Amino acid sequence: MDTNNSLHKQWTTQGALILMAVCLMAGVAGGWAIRGARRTAETDSARSANAPQPATTSASAAQTPGPTRLKSMADNQAGPMILRLKTEPKNTDLLVNIGNLYYDAQEYRLAVDYYRRALQIKPSDAAVRTDMATAYWYLGEADTAIAEFNKALTYAPTNPSTLFNLGLVKWQGKHDSAGAIADWKKLLATNPNYEARDKVQQMLTDVEKQTATNSAAKG
């Protein structure tokens, strides 16, 4: 699992169940909207309307916790950390780890709250700002997401997670194919060893073809 910052998550059984449930519901390895702090494009949950969805069996569906159960599981695991915050209110690791729990439980508004509190203490953390921006995207706030991605790039101009997600939101949220293409080309140019390079290149090819087709149709 990729780590772009110093966070070390304690994977309890409950935490693993939360992540497993999210992955089952959303689809694994789609490479759509990746989180900057802890994930790569190959391991993050697919969370796009255009991302391929895996077939689910009745057995797996029955074992997958619903949103209420996921929230309860996240609350239980976050509880001790939230108590620690009363004596360590400026502990950014705690704040981000709590944000990560709620992100994985699809409680994006709560995740944003904790990420923002961490960023008030350490505004230059591009990975956490990317996570917060991605959470805004899942909340349907594309413009806010783009603004936060751009701010993250002022601290880490070639961060691949930020560039990937920024391009994705421009493409799907704003129908800005040219902007998405520019961001993904910058990602590939500045990160020659990016492990999801083939995936990004395929996306670039698809969007460029789509753009050419649309232009031809209009002409």
Side-chain angles (χ1 to χ4, degrees), residues 46-105:
R47 194 61 65 80
S48 163
N50 294 327
Q53 298 298 311
T56 57
T57 64
S58 57
S60 65
Q63 295 172 0
T64 302
T68 300
R69 177 59 176 157
L70 282 174
K71 171 67 161 53
S72 177
M73 293 162 68
D75 286 340
N76 288 338
Q77 191 171 359
M81 289 186 278
I82 292 172
L83 286 176
R84 281 184 60 191
L85 279 177
K86 292 182 178 180
T87 56
E88 304 174 51
K90 295 187 180 297
N91 187 323
T92 55
D93 283 358
L94 278 177
L95 290 165
V96 175
N97 276 325
I98 296 169
N100 289 343
L101 279 172
Y102 284 119
Y103 183 108
D104 288 341

Side-chain angles (χ1 to χ4, degrees), residues 163-182:
L163 290 168
F164 181 96
N165 285 358
L166 177 58
L168 181 65
V169 174
K170 285 181 179 178
W171 177 38
Q172 293 191 351
K174 306 300 290 183
H175 306 292
D176 179 8
S177 297
I181 290 169

Side-chain angles (χ1 to χ4, degrees), residues 29-46:
W32 302 87
I34 57 179
R35 270 214 296 125
R38 295 189 297 131
R39 298 196 195 280
T40 68
E42 294 300 325
T43 60
D44 194 44
S45 302

Side-chain angles (χ1 to χ4, degrees), residues 118-129 151-156:
L119 289 167
Q120 287 173 349
I121 300 165
K122 190 179 179 182
S124 62
D125 193 325
V128 174
R129 193 171 295 278
K151 191 168 184 178
L153 289 173
T154 66
Y155 298 109

Side-chain angles (χ1 to χ4, degrees), residues 75-217:
D75 286 340
N76 288 338
Q77 191 171 359
M81 289 186 278
I82 292 172
L83 286 176
R84 281 184 60 191
L85 279 177
K86 292 182 178 180
T87 56
E88 304 174 51
K90 295 187 180 297
N91 187 323
T92 55
D93 283 358
L94 278 177
L95 290 165
V96 175
N97 276 325
I98 296 169
N100 289 343
L101 279 172
Y102 284 119
Y103 183 108
D104 288 341
Q106 303 176 35
E107 292 292 333
Y108 300 116
R109 189 64 66 188
L110 283 170
V112 162
D113 178 60
Y114 284 99
Y115 290 149
R116 186 166 294 284
R117 289 168 63 181
L119 289 167
Q120 287 173 349
I121 300 165
K122 190 179 179 182
S124 62
D125 193 325
V128 174
R129 193 171 295 278
T130 295
D131 289 353
M132 184 176 72
T134 306
Y136 272 123
W137 163 237
Y138 290 150
L139 287 167
E141 300 180 28
D143 289 334
T144 303
I146 289 172
E148 293 297 340
F149 285 135
N150 283 328
K151 191 168 184 178
L153 289 173
T154 66
Y155 298 109
T158 62
N159 184 297
S161 297
T162 310
L163 290 168
F164 181 96
N165 285 358
L166 177 58
L168 181 65
V169 174
K170 285 181 179 178
W171 177 38
Q172 293 191 351
K174 306 300 290 183
H175 306 292
D176 179 8
S177 297
I181 290 169
D183 291 328
W184 293 337
K185 283 185 174 181
K186 180 179 178 181
L187 188 164
L188 295 178
T190 58
N191 297 272
N193 297 318
Y194 185 54
E195 60 185 21
R197 187 177 186 86
D198 290 345
K199 182 185 296 293
V200 177
Q201 187 59 64
Q202 183 60 53
M203 291 174 66
L204 263 174
T205 299
D206 291 344
V207 175
E208 287 174 336
K209 285 181 179 179
Q210 181 184 42
T211 300
T213 299
N214 291 342
S215 296

Side-chain angles (χ1 to χ4, degrees), residues 19-28 45 53-54 56 60 63-65:
L19 181 56
M20 179 181 71
V22 172
C23 289
L24 283 171
M25 288 189 295
V28 179
S45 302
Q53 298 298 311
T56 57
S60 65
Q63 295 172 0
T64 302

